[in-house]
Amino acid sequence: MPKYNPNNEVIVTVGGSEAIDMAMRTVLCPGDEVIIPNPAFVCYEPLAKMTGATPVILETRVEDNFKLTPDALKKAITPRTKMLVLPFPNNPTGAVMTESELREIADIVRDTNIFVLSDEIYAELTFGRRHVSITSIEGMYERTILVSGFSKAYAMTGWRLGYLCAPEPIAKQILKLHQYAIMCAPTVSQFAAIEAMDNGDEDVQMMVEEYDRRRRYIHNGLNTIGIPTFEPEGAFYIWPDIRSFGLSSEEFCNRLLYEHKCAIVPGNAFGECGEGFARISYAYSVKHITNALEKMEAFVKTLK
């Protein structure tokens, strides 16, 4: 990953969401197209629309481990394509792109006028392999806006502290919007983040190992009770396939909530292609996960 100059290539933002908003508002114009792989975090599409751009939803498939494929990307690109959102490690699926896979994406984008918005807020939370940033691939630093924050790796959700990194010519334009829209991120959160970066790496590694244990536990548990589930490689979510039960995502999740007091998120909240799936966070204790699996097992038995 390239080293960014903190004086003119890094902007501290009010959470990662502000970083995404500022990046899109700076780069996009009415009539531009933004390719967004789905399922994905909910804010990309509406923020693109707010600029007057057109979101182009690119469905990722379980057959491809919910990754962006070169063939799908090529088919989605048009003369109006201005930005590609790269949301990996992915919320909600937990999919992770490997270096070789990112190189294939880079080979397509490198000789175009397309900017890449790489949302890497789960970069520290990967299992079995280290995260690779597309900015580390030749020719991609110049056209990539990297977005991240402190809420996931450092468990600072609610502190509203994120950042973006971009080459100076891009960052300079983003700063014009940021300084009048926000002024600055919360000072107390910035001091907390300094402490986290100076002394928190051992805690992050400890939590990665703990999340990995919970990931394997809930993956095995869901498959055991008869819910086929993709094995996530990053973030702290798992994405069970509930299509075989004959209920929509919302029906399944609402009934599970009201009948068994267990809350999970309908997959269609993350795009239409999320229908038939659900998102479960395993950023809970093993005790809570065990209790949830027991409730889900009881519910599934009523559907068979």
Side-chain angles (χ1 to χ4, degrees), residues 212-259:
D212 189 20
R213 183 169 78 96
R214 299 177 195 179
R215 174 186 71 101
R216 289 181 277 111
Y217 179 71
I218 194 170
H219 176 257
N220 180 68
L222 287 167
N223 282 291
T224 298
I225 65 177
I227 305 177
T229 304
F230 164 74
E231 183 174 1
E233 295 182 322
F236 42 63
Y237 309 108
I238 197 161
W239 188 242
D241 184 340
I242 56 175
R243 290 175 291 183
S244 63
F245 299 107
L247 300 175
S248 71
S249 292
E250 290 191 14
E251 288 171 334
F252 185 96
C253 294
N254 282 335
R255 285 189 57 182
L256 178 63
L257 174 62
Y258 289 113
E259 295 175 22

Side-chain angles (χ1 to χ4, degrees), residues 167-288:
E168 183 178 4
I170 302 173
K172 185 177 181 180
Q173 303 309 313
I174 295 174
L175 183 61
K176 292 178 182 179
L177 281 175
H178 168 77
Q179 66 184 355
Y180 294 115
I182 297 297
M183 188 61 72
C184 72
T187 304
V188 65
S189 299
Q190 294 190 54
F191 278 107
I194 292 171
E195 173 64 22
M197 288 187 292
D198 285 345
N199 299 302
D201 287 348
E202 289 185 6
D203 296 290
V204 172
Q205 183 56 42
M206 181 270 291
M207 282 311 303
V208 169
E209 293 170 2
E210 179 59 28
Y211 284 141
D212 189 20
R213 183 169 78 96
R214 299 177 195 179
R215 174 186 71 101
R216 289 181 277 111
Y217 179 71
I218 194 170
H219 176 257
N220 180 68
L222 287 167
N223 282 291
T224 298
I225 65 177
I227 305 177
T229 304
F230 164 74
E231 183 174 1
E233 295 182 322
F236 42 63
Y237 309 108
I238 197 161
W239 188 242
D241 184 340
I242 56 175
R243 290 175 291 183
S244 63
F245 299 107
L247 300 175
S248 71
S249 292
E250 290 191 14
E251 288 171 334
F252 185 96
C253 294
N254 282 335
R255 285 189 57 182
L256 178 63
L257 174 62
Y258 289 113
E259 295 175 22
H260 294 269
K261 303 298 185 286
C262 180
I264 61 177
V265 182
N268 62 348
F270 304 94
E272 291 183 9
C273 64
E275 179 57 54
F277 295 83
R279 191 194 77 172
I280 302 174
S281 169
Y282 51 87
Y284 293 91
S285 69
V286 172
K287 180 179 178 181
H288 279 92

Side-chain angles (χ1 to χ4, degrees), residues 16-17 20 36-45 87 90-92 119 269-270:
S17 294
I20 296 167
I36 306 172
N38 265 12
F41 181 48
V42 297
C43 81
Y44 306 126
E45 185 175 348
N90 183 267
N91 168 16
D119 187 346
F270 304 94

Side-chain angles (χ1 to χ4, degrees), residues 1-303:
M1 181 172 166
K3 289 188 177 181
Y4 290 92
N5 186 325
N7 296 315
N8 51 30
E9 294 185 319
V10 179
I11 299 174
V12 179
T13 59
V14 181
S17 294
E18 192 228 330
I20 296 167
D21 183 27
M22 294 294 108
M24 287 188 169
R25 282 207 259 171
T26 300
V27 170
L28 299 174
C29 297
D32 289 338
E33 292 180 348
V34 184
I35 297 174
I36 306 172
N38 265 12
F41 181 48
V42 297
C43 81
Y44 306 126
E45 185 175 348
L47 290 178
K49 288 180 178 178
M50 285 170 62
T51 70
T54 301
V56 176
I57 303 304
L58 199 162
E59 179 178 347
T60 59
R61 307 180 307 159
V62 66
E63 294 85 355
D64 301 315
N65 294 323
F66 296 106
K67 299 182 182 186
L68 174 61
T69 65
D71 288 343
L73 177 59
K74 287 177 184 177
K75 292 176 183 177
I77 292 175
T78 76
R80 295 199 300 166
T81 304
K82 188 69 168 291
M83 177 179 282
L84 165 65
V85 176
L86 205 58
F88 298 96
N90 183 267
N91 168 16
T93 66
V96 173
M97 298 281 286
T98 66
E99 181 176 358
S100 61
E101 291 163 343
L102 288 172
R103 287 189 177 279
E104 291 181 309
I105 301 303
D107 288 342
I108 297 170
V109 174
R110 189 180 292 111
D111 296 323
T112 69
N113 293 319
I114 299 172
F115 289 91
V116 175
L117 177 62
S118 186
D119 187 346
E120 303 183 23
I121 198 161
Y122 295 98
E124 293 84 1
L125 305 180
T126 57
F127 315 107
R129 63 164 58 93
R130 293 186 66 83
H131 170 73
V132 176
S133 173
I134 198 168
T135 60
S136 65
I137 296 173
E138 55 272 12
M140 296 308 297
Y141 156 81
E142 296 83 355
R143 65 175 63 251
T144 301
I145 302 169
L146 186 156
V147 171
S148 193
F150 293 83
S151 60
K152 311 307 178 185
Y154 293 105
M156 290 175 60
T157 302
W159 290 71
R160 305 314 303 145
L161 194 66
Y163 58 89
L164 64 82
C165 304
E168 183 178 4
I170 302 173
K172 185 177 181 180
Q173 303 309 313
I174 295 174
L175 183 61
K176 292 178 182 179
L177 281 175
H178 168 77
Q179 66 184 355
Y180 294 115
I182 297 297
M183 188 61 72
C184 72
T187 304
V188 65
S189 299
Q190 294 190 54
F191 278 107
I194 292 171
E195 173 64 22
M197 288 187 292
D198 285 345
N199 299 302
D201 287 348
E202 289 185 6
D203 296 290
V204 172
Q205 183 56 42
M206 181 270 291
M207 282 311 303
V208 169
E209 293 170 2
E210 179 59 28
Y211 284 141
D212 189 20
R213 183 169 78 96
R214 299 177 195 179
R215 174 186 71 101
R216 289 181 277 111
Y217 179 71
I218 194 170
H219 176 257
N220 180 68
L222 287 167
N223 282 291
T224 298
I225 65 177
I227 305 177
T229 304
F230 164 74
E231 183 174 1
E233 295 182 322
F236 42 63
Y237 309 108
I238 197 161
W239 188 242
D241 184 340
I242 56 175
R243 290 175 291 183
S244 63
F245 299 107
L247 300 175
S248 71
S249 292
E250 290 191 14
E251 288 171 334
F252 185 96
C253 294
N254 282 335
R255 285 189 57 182
L256 178 63
L257 174 62
Y258 289 113
E259 295 175 22
H260 294 269
K261 303 298 185 286
C262 180
I264 61 177
V265 182
N268 62 348
F270 304 94
E272 291 183 9
C273 64
E275 179 57 54
F277 295 83
R279 191 194 77 172
I280 302 174
S281 169
Y282 51 87
Y284 293 91
S285 69
V286 172
K287 180 179 178 181
H288 279 92
I289 294 171
T290 300
N291 183 248
L293 287 171
E294 290 172 351
K295 291 181 176 183
M296 292 186 72
E297 181 177 21
F299 177 54
V300 165
K301 285 180 178 179
T302 69
L303 301 178

